[in-house]
């Protein structure tokens, strides 16, 4: 149903964040992560140039479905009965496992949205930020995705509860 | 006080990064610390410990299920910070089997009713991740209340949870659905997004029940500018349109509008996909979609190329013209760098294949195969093979060309698809009589090719080639050359079972030649010396070639070699008496004639169901394992083969050793017969391990061989059956060069397991859909009465009665469901058709206006 899991893995294959929307045991998770990481990392041995062009449409939620970066290879991998949409940002791979009928470009957009949100919150986010503030990343994700469906796509709306909680703490 | 000296999570992380001890020891020390701290009564200490534990569990895969109860304690704290940590831990580690799951209900309920919306959201998120049936049932009233809450933040989250609740506890649908539908009409974009998402999932599970909501969806489709929402709506419509074709007409226009107007590629792609998969009857929409696909195909971005190809492959079955239009782009994509793109292009090309262009396309593909990496090369080969062999070679007109193509494939350096080629070579040989000469020619070429002998993936092809040359030797131009190829010393590289086939083919060739020699002898008065020379030569060559094999280790090779040699020995004498073989009393003559009769009987293809048609004779027991073998065959396994014992060598021939050992054992133990026979059984198992069915317990003697081989089709076949006699199925079809068909059809390659799982999920969803149906009806009661006065009185009455019946029936239905699915299924489907028809009648005025 929509999104099955979200992973953030670094270049050495270490998982930095894993959010699963269906229950898997520990061994299953590890096996899954291992397989997927191997597949995705192997595809991208060359460097990727980044050129971002965005087209904003007028919308009060600030949603955009931009046109995305140039990759050397395409960002989708078929794995068993679902697809993996992934993208590399600096040293981190963001991988989202989705059902077969999900719109891949929308998921790529979602990954980008996630990165932007984290960027806005942490200010120039990097891998260390995620390592030290893992639960904040989890909260962000929880705001955005419930039950495997994307429910919130506005950065402002996502960040406001988190900022409030931080202030209160 | 403990708190001051407790390491916080940040300290832990820093420590981990700086440590030199090694990961696992650091983690175990940290775990010890955590275990101590978590038992403290002070909630702050506890929560920090829990926090650290969640981190370790998330990143380093440490098991945290033992801390479940502590998590509950932390959650019960009044401080928000602690609650957050507790809920995080719970979400991460609880699952259906967690024993303390029962205790969480109350806590969740308390938090769901809380005034603080963030606490509510925490509880809702937790519920959405770990919700079980009981939790869903107990908390659905609270969820219901929250769906109508005044704070949109809360409502959005509640909508998100609804899906899980419905999934686990379908009865909740009756309660919550109405509110859900109300939320659909909201103007708040956050909530709208969430609600549409929920409906997207519901529509995928059961489109018919969401059909009545089509007007609302339509309104949003036309008005909304939010691309995310639009994408989800398109998905909903694609599911609905496949159930209700008239909807497609209405929806096609707005979709085309969106396609033209939007700049966002994701939306364009979704529109294209919807049009191509569900609205494929609307020509204008399809044309526009194909134009957009073309734009995608010419982009540089591999993502877009891939998606374009993917969309094209969805369109291919019904709109082949679209694929043909873009043929050059597809072929160009074959040489793209990205493997996904290449694969899609390959599949598309295969979809375009017809009788006319099959040779052209195969030519192109073979060129690509030679240039590509091994993986893609094999993909090409296997797809060409499967397409050409579909429906018993439906698209092949020129079998000679196809057979030579098979030979060519075998010579591609990276080819690893030996088995498939082998199968097809033999299959064609059996079915297509006219292709046999060419087949023999190609086989001979393959047999003499040294590259094939060295490549173990291609050995199956060689076995097919040799079998073919033996079986259809009458079409061979030069049997002598054939024999030379079959006995060449390089065949040592082949595994024994293939060498056995070689020897047997040699045998067939020999019989054929001898027969023709003898019959030539009979017909003509004398024999010319050249013929005599040649036949003698042939026999000698065979003898020289086969003689070394008579001492081979493999049983089958040895047996066949000895057969051939024995036959030669007998025939040689009679050839020597060259003159006056008028008397048919000559033994060789008779035996040859007999052998040739045996070989000239044609082996045809057998249907896969043929074995089922043979009824098991009474009294024949088909046991699961061969444990009883020792009783039955114990006495047969005893005799020793005296002539072929090589004690220094492998296990296969050490029966005599075993006997000695048995006797030694027998002298020391009391239980004599079982041990002897069981060890003999073990011995037998070792030698013929591949024929044994795998048993549950691990056999210590087996060396793992049973797992390497698939279970044999026939365990102890006494019949002189050719080892390559495949039992393949065919469909009933017409032929050009006569392709042998069989009467029964049956496409059983596709596994039935898929069908089964679909059925199972359908029965689960039926209950959900039924509830949605009923909820919708109740919902629409008021609206319907106002709208249709005229002809729908009957309808209204029907619904009234059905509504009255419903509360009474709901219990009955529940019971029925438990007792027997069938009856309630029928009942349900009838009701559903009633409901559907009634709602349809209501819908029509809406849509067409």
């Amino acid at each position: 149903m929509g999104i099955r899991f979200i992973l953030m893995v670094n270049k050495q294959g270490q998982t930095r964040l894993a959010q699963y929307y269906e229950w898997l045991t520990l061994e299953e998770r590890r096996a899954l992560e291992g397989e997927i990481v191997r597949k995705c990392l192997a595809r991208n041995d060359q460097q990727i140039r980044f050129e971002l062009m965005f087209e904003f449409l007028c919308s009060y939620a600030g949603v955009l479905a931009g046109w995305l970066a140039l990759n050397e290879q395409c960002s989708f991998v078929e794995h068993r009965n679902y697809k993996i949409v992934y993208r590399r940002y600096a040293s981190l791979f963001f991988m989202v496992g989705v059902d077969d009928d999900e719109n891949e470009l929308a998921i790529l957009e979602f990954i980008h949205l996630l990165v932007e949100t984290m960027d806005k919150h942490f200010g120039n986010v990097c891998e260390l930020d995620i390592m030290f503030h893992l639960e904040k990343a989890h909260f962000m994700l929880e705001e955005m995705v419930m039950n495997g469906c994307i429910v919130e796509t506005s950065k402002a709306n996502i960040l406001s509860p988190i900022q409030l909680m931080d202030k209160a703490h | 006080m403990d708190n001051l000296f407790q390491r916080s999570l940040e300290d832990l992380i820093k420590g981990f990064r700086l440590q030199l001890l090694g990961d696992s020891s650091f983690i175990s020390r940290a775990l010890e610390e955590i275990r101590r701290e978590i038992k403290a009564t002070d909630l702050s200490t506890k929560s920090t410990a829990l926090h650290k534990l969640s981190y370790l569990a998330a990143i380093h895969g440490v098991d945290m299920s033992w801390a479940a109860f502590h998590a509950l304690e932390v959650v019960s704290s009044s401080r928000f910070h602690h609650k957050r940590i507790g809920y995080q831990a719970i979400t991460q580690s609880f699952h259906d089997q967690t024993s303390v799951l029962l205790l969480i209900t109350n806590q969740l309920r308390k938090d769901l009713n809380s005034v603080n919306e963030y606490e509510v959201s925490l509880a809702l998120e937790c519920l959405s991740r770990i919700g079980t049936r009981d939790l869903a049932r107990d908390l659905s009233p609270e969820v219901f209340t929250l769906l109508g809450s005044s704070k949109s933040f809360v409502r959005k989250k509640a909508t998100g949870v609804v899906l899980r609740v419905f999934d686990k506890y379908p009865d909740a649908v009756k309660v919550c659905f109405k509110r859900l539908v109300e939320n659909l009409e909201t103007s708040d974009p956050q909530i709208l997004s969430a609600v549409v998402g929920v409906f997207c999932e519901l529509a995928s599970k059961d489109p018919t029940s969401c059909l009545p909501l089509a007007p609302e969806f339509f309104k949003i489709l036309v008005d909304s500018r939010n691309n995310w929402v639009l994408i989800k709506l398109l998905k909903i419509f694609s599911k609905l349109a496949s159930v209700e074709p008239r909807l497609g007409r209405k929806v096609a226009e707005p979709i085309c509008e969106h396609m033209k107007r939007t700049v966002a590629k994701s939306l364009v792609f979704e529109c294209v996909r919807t049009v191509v998969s569900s609205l494929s009857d609307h020509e204008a929409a399809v044309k526009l979609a194909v134009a957009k696909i073309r734009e995608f195909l010419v982009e540089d971005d591999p993502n877009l190329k891939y998606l374009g190809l993917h969309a094209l492959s969805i369109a291919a079955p019904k709109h082949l013209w679209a694929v043909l239009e873009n043929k050059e782009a597809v072929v160009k994509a074959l040489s793209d760098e990205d493997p996904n793109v290449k694969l899609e292009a390959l599949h598309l090309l295969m979809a375009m294949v017809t009788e006319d262009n099959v040779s052209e396309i195969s030519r192109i593909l073979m060129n690509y195969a030679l240039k590509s990496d091994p993986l893609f090369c094999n993909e090409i080969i296997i797809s060409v093979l499967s397409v050409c062999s579909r429906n018993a070679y439906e698209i092949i007109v020129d079998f000679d060309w196809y057979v030579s193509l098979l030979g060519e494939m075998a010579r591609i350096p990276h080819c690893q698809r030996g088995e498939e080629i082998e199968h097809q070579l033999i299959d064609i040989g059996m079915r297509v009589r006219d292709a046999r000469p060419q087949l023999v020619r190609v086989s001979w070429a393959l047999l003499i090719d040294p590259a094939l002998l060295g490549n173990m993936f291609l050995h199956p092809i060689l076995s097919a080639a040799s079998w073919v040359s033996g079986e259809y030797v009458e079409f061979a131009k030069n049997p002598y050359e054939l024999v030379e190829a079959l006995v060449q010393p390089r065949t040592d590289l082949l595994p024994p079972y293939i060498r056995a086939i070689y020897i047997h083919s040699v045998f067939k060739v020999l019989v054929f030649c001898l027969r023709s020699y003898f019959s030539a002898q009979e017909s003509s008065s004398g024999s010319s010396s050249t013929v005599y020379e040649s036949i003698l030569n042939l026999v000698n060559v065979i003898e020289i070639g086969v003689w070394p094999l008579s001492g081979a280790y493999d049983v089958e090779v040895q047996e066949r070699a000895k057969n051939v040699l024995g036959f030669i020995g007998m025939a040689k004498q009679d050839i020597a008496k060259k003159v006056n073989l008028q008397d048919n009393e000559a033994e060789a003559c008779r035996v040859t004639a007999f052998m040739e009769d045996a070989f000239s009987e044609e082996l045809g293809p057998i249907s896969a169901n043929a074995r089922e048609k043979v009824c098991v004779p009474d009294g024949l027991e088909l046991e699961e394992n061969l444990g009883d073998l020792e009783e039955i065959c114990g006495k047969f396994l005893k005799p020793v083969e005296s002539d072929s014992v090589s004690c220094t060598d492998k296990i296969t021939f050490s029966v005599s050793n075993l006997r000695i050992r048995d006797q030694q054992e027998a002298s020391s133990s009391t239980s004599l017969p079982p041990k002897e026979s069981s060890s003999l059984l073990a011995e037998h198992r070792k030698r013929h391990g591949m024929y044994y069915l795998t048993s549950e317990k691990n056999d210590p003697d087996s060396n793992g061989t049973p797992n390497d081989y698939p279970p044999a089709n026939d365990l102890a076949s006494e019949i002189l059956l050719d080892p390559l006699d495949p039992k393949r199925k065919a469909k009933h079809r017409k032929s050009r060069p006569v392709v042998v068909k069989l009467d029964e059809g049956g496409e059983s390659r596709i596994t039935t397991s898929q069908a089964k799982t679909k059925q199972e999920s359908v029965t689960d969803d039926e209950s959900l859909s039924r509830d949605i149906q009923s909820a919708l009806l109740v919902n629409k009661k008021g609206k319907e009465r106002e709208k249709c006065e005229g002809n729908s009185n009957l309808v209204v009455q029907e619904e009234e009665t059905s509504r009255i019946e419903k509360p009474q029936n709901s219990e009955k239905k529940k019971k029925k469901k438990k007792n027997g699915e069938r009856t309630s299924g029928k009942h349900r489907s009838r009701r559903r058709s009633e409901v559907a028809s009634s709602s349809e009648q209501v819908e029509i005025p809406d849509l067409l206006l």
Side-chain angles (χ1 to χ4, degrees):
Chain A
M1 56 166 167
I3 300 182
R4 303 272 191 111
F5 55 84
I6 302 178
L7 296 174
M8 289 186 209
V9 181
N10 75 353
K11 265 192 307 193
Q12 282 84 38
Q14 295 169 316
T15 311
R16 292 297 175 208
L17 181 145
Q19 181 98 311
Y20 287 88
Y21 292 99
E22 51 186 6
W23 172 255
L24 292 173
T25 64
L26 209 53
E27 293 84 32
E28 285 173 4
R29 287 185 193 196
R30 272 202 228 152
L32 181 74
E33 283 166 29
E35 276 177 50
I36 295 176
V37 163
R38 245 180 304 125
K39 270 196 191 173
C40 294
L41 262 64
R43 285 162 62 85
N44 274 38
D45 356 18
Q46 57 261 60
Q47 286 290 33
I48 298 179
R49 285 172 295 118
F50 250 45
E51 282 170 18
L52 295 168
M53 298 185 313
F54 275 77
E55 333 246 8
F56 283 82
L57 288 181
C58 65
S59 94
Y60 30 78
V63 164
L64 53 142
W67 166 194
L68 307 156
L70 284 171
N71 287 334
E72 301 290 341
Q73 288 193 349
C74 96
S75 305
F76 321 124
V77 174
E78 307 260 336
H79 181 77
R80 307 217 186 148
N81 56 340
Y82 43 79
K83 284 191 285 223
I84 299 171
V85 181
Y86 72 96
R87 183 158 243 200
R88 185 175 156 196
Y89 287 83
S91 64
L92 264 187
F93 282 86
F94 286 76
M95 296 177 219
V96 180
V98 291
D99 284 331
D100 266 333
D101 56 355
E102 193 71 44
N103 185 332
E104 296 89 339
L105 290 175
I107 298 289
L108 270 177
E109 189 49 44
F110 163 72
I111 295 179
H112 195 72
L113 180 67
L114 179 63
V115 172
E116 276 193 335
T117 315
M118 288 200 292
D119 195 44
K120 197 160 167 202
H121 183 75
F122 291 113
N124 267 335
V125 66
C126 63
E127 194 181 333
L128 278 177
D129 284 319
I130 300 180
M131 278 175 68
F132 275 94
H133 301 287
L134 188 60
E135 73 270 14
K136 291 239 182 66
H138 271 290
F139 294 140
M140 262 183 258
L141 265 181
E142 271 178 8
E143 290 288 323
M144 291 170 82
V145 180
M146 271 191 97
N147 241 336
C149 305
I150 304 175
V151 291
E152 185 59 65
T153 50
S154 139
K155 282 200 287 282
N157 288 339
I158 297 171
L159 288 175
S160 63
I162 298 179
Q163 282 159 354
L164 245 135
M165 283 192 238
D166 281 348
K167 256 192 264 173
H169 178 43
Chain B
M1 196 48 206
D2 295 332
N3 222 356
L4 276 178
F5 294 108
Q6 190 186 26
R7 283 204 290 172
S8 73
L9 179 62
E10 211 167 308
D11 301 330
L12 182 74
I13 300 176
K14 283 194 193 139
F16 188 78
R17 284 168 63 78
L18 295 170
Q19 50 94 9
L20 302 158
L21 300 162
D23 289 353
S24 45
S25 51
F26 183 82
I27 291 178
S28 46
R29 277 209 345 214
L31 263 181
E32 279 171 34
E33 212 177 69
I34 291 173
R35 272 182 204 264
R36 255 184 304 123
E37 290 167 4
I38 210 167
K39 293 188 193 129
T41 43
D42 174 29
L43 277 177
S44 301
T45 325
K46 219 194 253 286
S47 68
T48 316
L50 192 64
H51 201 193
K52 288 192 281 188
L53 185 59
S54 333
Y55 177 81
L56 285 177
I59 300 295
H60 299 289
V62 170
D63 175 39
M64 67 179 280
S65 47
W66 52 269
F69 191 70
H70 296 294
L72 278 178
E73 288 179 325
V74 170
V75 165
S76 61
S77 154
S78 52
R79 280 193 61 190
F80 183 74
H81 183 61
H82 296 165
K83 262 201 213 292
R84 209 162 70 158
I85 294 175
Y87 271 121
Q88 173 76 359
I90 290 177
T91 320
Q92 215 173 293
S93 60
F94 274 38
H95 53 94
D96 283 349
Q97 274 82 44
T98 309
S99 42
V100 294
L101 208 53
L102 308 162
L103 302 172
I104 206 178
T105 321
N106 266 330
Q107 183 59 43
L108 277 174
R109 186 172 287 141
K110 223 171 54 161
D111 283 324
L112 282 175
N113 288 326
S114 148
V115 190
N116 182 346
E117 61 202 26
Y118 297 106
E119 283 181 10
V120 175
S121 84
L122 278 181
L124 283 172
E125 277 155 21
C126 178
L127 183 60
S128 79
R129 296 278 292 277
I130 64 164
T132 63
R133 190 191 153 80
D134 296 328
L135 277 174
R137 184 191 57 213
D138 294 331
L139 296 171
S140 55
E142 273 78 23
V143 174
F144 173 69
T145 328
L146 290 170
L147 272 174
S149 148
S150 51
K151 301 188 191 133
S152 59
F153 180 69
V154 172
R155 259 194 293 167
K156 172 183 76 171
K157 298 261 171 180
T159 323
V161 161
V162 152
L163 197 61
R164 176 108 187 182
V165 169
F166 281 5
D167 199 32
K168 297 284 176 181
Y169 181 61
D171 287 341
V173 177
K174 288 187 214 126
V175 179
C176 302
F177 202 76
K178 201 169 114 192
R179 286 266 172 99
L180 197 63
V181 174
E182 277 171 15
N183 279 333
L184 192 59
E185 286 144 18
T186 182
S187 54
D188 190 336
Q190 291 183 31
I191 304 180
L192 189 61
S193 192
V195 174
V196 171
V198 171
F199 274 110
C200 188
E201 290 299 323
L202 285 177
S204 353
K205 288 210 192 112
D206 187 20
T208 28
S209 50
C210 296
L211 205 50
L213 294 167
E216 278 94 5
F217 291 141
F218 188 74
K219 204 159 54 106
I220 307 176
L221 179 69
V222 173
D223 294 334
S224 170
R225 290 281 166 273
N226 181 331
N227 288 348
W228 299 92
V229 172
L230 283 172
I231 290 179
K232 287 186 207 161
L233 273 174
L234 284 171
K235 289 215 185 85
I236 297 180
F237 272 116
S238 95
K239 302 274 164 34
L240 292 182
S242 46
V243 190
E244 172 64 65
R246 282 175 302 170
L247 196 57
R249 244 186 306 141
K250 248 311 185 104
V251 157
E253 290 162 35
I255 293 186
C256 292
E257 272 308 296
H258 280 300
M259 255 200 284
K260 282 184 239 168
R261 251 190 301 144
T262 185
V263 204
K265 302 270 188 230
S266 50
L267 186 57
V268 171
F269 178 64
E270 193 63 41
C271 294
V272 163
R273 187 154 63 176
T274 314
V275 168
V276 154
S277 46
S278 319
L279 301 176
S280 44
D281 299 326
H282 299 91
E283 285 305 318
V286 174
K287 282 212 178 64
L288 184 57
V290 173
K292 289 285 172 184
I293 291 181
R294 179 175 230 134
E295 280 173 35
F296 271 35
L297 281 177
V298 299
E299 296 273 356
D300 275 334
D301 185 0
N303 286 341
L304 294 175
K305 252 195 273 196
Y306 173 74
L307 288 176
L309 288 171
H310 191 63
L312 208 53
S313 63
I314 302 178
K318 284 200 188 157
H319 299 280
L320 206 54
W321 57 267
V323 185
L324 293 169
E325 248 181 38
N326 293 314
K327 193 168 158 187
E328 313 91 47
V330 175
V331 173
K332 201 160 141 253
L334 270 180
S335 53
D336 196 273
E337 284 175 356
D338 186 287
N340 279 358
V341 173
K342 279 199 278 197
L343 268 176
E344 280 293 324
L346 180 63
H347 293 146
L348 269 176
L349 263 180
M350 288 290 104
M352 297 197 239
V353 165
T354 64
E355 272 181 17
D356 308 317
N357 58 18
V358 64
S359 47
E360 178 203 338
I361 290 190
S362 325
R363 174 80 5 234
I364 300 176
L365 285 176
M366 285 300 122
N367 286 339
Y368 272 104
L370 286 166
K371 288 189 272 179
S372 333
D373 55 291
L375 200 60
F376 191 52
C377 173
N378 283 305
E379 280 294 329
I380 293 181
I381 292 178
I382 197 75
S383 42
V384 169
L385 285 174
S386 56
V387 165
C388 290
S389 66
R390 238 204 321 248
N391 276 349
Y393 311 98
E394 198 173 39
I395 57 171
I396 310 258
V397 181
D398 183 3
F399 273 91
D400 288 344
W401 162 80
Y402 186 60
V403 170
S404 40
L405 182 71
L406 285 177
E408 214 183 293
M409 270 192 220
R411 291 204 185 76
I412 294 180
H414 296 302
C415 173
Q416 290 170 3
R417 302 285 177 176
E419 283 114 17
E420 188 56 32
I421 300 181
E422 166 201 9
H423 163 230
Q424 291 205 4
L425 280 173
I426 297 180
D427 209 32
I428 293 179
M430 284 198 298
R431 289 182 204 263
V432 186
R433 196 166 297 199
D434 298 337
R436 285 174 191 172
Q438 176 71 357
L439 209 53
V440 174
R441 239 173 285 143
V442 167
S443 306
W444 178 70
L446 287 173
L447 283 172
I448 58 173
D449 189 340
L452 265 67
L453 278 167
N455 184 345
M456 67 166 223
F457 289 111
L458 302 178
H459 286 166
I461 304 181
L462 285 177
S463 79
S466 60
W467 185 83
V468 160
S469 13
E471 185 71 10
Y472 305 120
V473 62
E474 59 261 28
F475 297 106
K477 275 192 263 191
N478 191 342
Y480 188 72
E481 282 178 348
L482 209 52
V483 165
E484 275 191 340
L486 284 170
V487 302
Q488 60 180 304
R490 277 203 82 186
T491 52
D492 278 346
L493 295 165
L494 294 169
Y497 73 96
I498 298 186
R499 299 203 73 185
I501 300 170
Y502 269 59
I503 300 173
H504 200 64
S505 299
V506 166
F507 192 21
K508 291 183 197 170
V509 174
L510 177 64
V511 163
F512 174 74
C513 293
L514 276 179
R515 185 76 188 120
S516 38
Y517 175 71
F518 286 142
S519 47
Q521 286 269 305
E522 285 163 33
S523 53
S524 62
S525 50
S527 57
S528 61
S529 59
T530 46
V531 178
Y532 170 67
E533 286 291 326
S534 60
I535 194 84
L536 200 55
N537 234 346
L538 183 73
V539 172
N540 281 336
V541 163
I542 295 180
E543 195 172 357
I544 295 171
V546 175
W547 175 252
L549 296 174
S550 61
Y553 295 135
D554 190 74
V555 180
E556 194 167 353
V557 171
Q558 198 193 74
E559 180 172 339
R560 289 185 194 266
K562 286 203 188 270
N563 284 342
V564 172
L565 288 171
F567 188 78
I568 288 181
M570 178 185 60
K572 249 188 165 168
Q573 299 166 7
D574 288 339
I575 298 175
K577 321 180 208 152
K578 40 180 184 166
V579 203
N580 281 350
L581 275 173
Q582 299 295 342
D583 51 345
N584 296 359
E585 304 296 316
E587 204 184 328
C589 215
R590 268 185 295 123
V591 176
T592 320
F594 173 68
M595 284 274 101
E596 209 206 344
D597 270 338
F599 286 145
S600 59
E601 188 159 321
E602 218 176 84
L603 292 170
I606 302 181
S607 138
N609 302 330
R611 204 192 308 164
E612 282 152 17
K613 297 199 171 158
V614 178
C615 35
V616 180
D618 296 332
L620 177 68
E621 299 223 358
L622 298 172
E623 296 275 330
E624 279 292 313
N625 60 34
L626 293 171
D628 305 336
L629 193 69
E630 37 192 300
E631 294 169 26
I632 306 167
C633 295
K635 43 186 190 291
F636 296 121
L637 288 178
K638 273 188 206 168
V640 171
E641 302 178 25
S642 51
D643 54 315
S644 51
V645 173
S646 43
C647 305
T648 52
D649 249 309
K650 301 180 190 178
I651 319 164
T652 48
F653 272 93
S654 52
V655 179
S656 63
N657 283 351
L658 199 61
R659 274 206 86 199
I660 299 168
R661 192 180 68 186
D662 280 347
Q663 282 165 1
Q664 284 171 352
E665 280 178 345
S667 59
S668 54
S669 72
T670 50
S671 58
L672 184 60
K675 207 159 190 181
E676 191 174 28
S677 48
S678 64
S679 56
L680 282 173
L681 180 64
E683 174 56 24
H684 191 260
R685 210 192 172 102
K686 243 183 275 188
R687 274 167 43 193
H688 302 290
M690 66 165 112
Y691 295 118
Y692 277 66
L693 299 171
T694 51
S695 55
E696 265 68 71
K697 7 188 219 302
N698 293 335
D699 195 281
D701 302 323
S702 67
N703 299 336
T705 41
N707 294 328
D708 295 347
Y709 296 98
N713 279 331
D714 26 28
L715 280 170
S717 57
E718 313 277 3
I719 324 162
L720 183 66
L721 204 56
D722 251 290
L724 288 176
D725 183 17
K727 296 180 171 40
R728 310 287 179 184
K729 51 193 173 286
K731 273 189 116 134
H732 181 89
R733 48 173 309 289
K734 56 189 189 303
S735 47
R736 289 136 332 235
V738 181
V739 179
V740 171
K741 57 199 187 298
L742 294 172
D743 282 339
E744 58 251 291
E747 196 104 51
S748 57
R749 286 250 195 212
I750 306 170
T751 55
T752 48
S753 60
Q754 281 176 13
K756 270 190 219 152
T757 48
K758 260 192 209 152
Q759 269 179 19
E760 281 167 10
S761 57
V762 160
T763 45
D764 284 337
D765 293 334
E766 268 178 13
S767 58
L768 181 66
S769 63
R770 192 171 40 86
D771 291 324
I772 293 181
Q773 297 271 327
S774 46
L776 275 176
L777 268 193
V778 176
N779 208 9
K780 284 188 158 292
K781 272 297 302 161
K783 288 190 206 168
E784 279 155 4
R785 263 219 206 108
E786 291 155 25
K787 279 184 191 160
C788 11
E789 291 292 344
N791 61 340
S792 53
N793 275 326
L794 285 167
V795 173
V796 168
Q797 280 168 13
E798 216 184 329
E799 286 163 3
E800 267 190 317
T801 51
S802 65
R803 190 167 67 96
I804 294 169
E805 280 174 30
K806 232 178 290 304
Q808 298 160 356
N809 272 352
S810 58
E811 286 101 296
K812 258 196 263 171
K813 273 191 206 149
K814 277 191 204 156
K815 272 196 231 153
K816 262 194 192 169
K817 236 195 337 178
K818 287 193 185 117
N819 292 342
E821 284 285 42
R822 288 256 165 129
T823 50
S824 56
K826 255 194 253 166
H827 186 65
R828 250 185 265 149
S829 57
R830 244 188 303 132
R831 288 199 65 88
R832 193 190 310 174
S833 57
E834 271 176 25
V835 166
S837 61
S838 59
S839 58
E840 246 184 78
Q841 288 177 18
V842 175
E843 279 307 307
I844 294 174
D846 254 0
L847 286 182
L848 295 185
L849 277 173

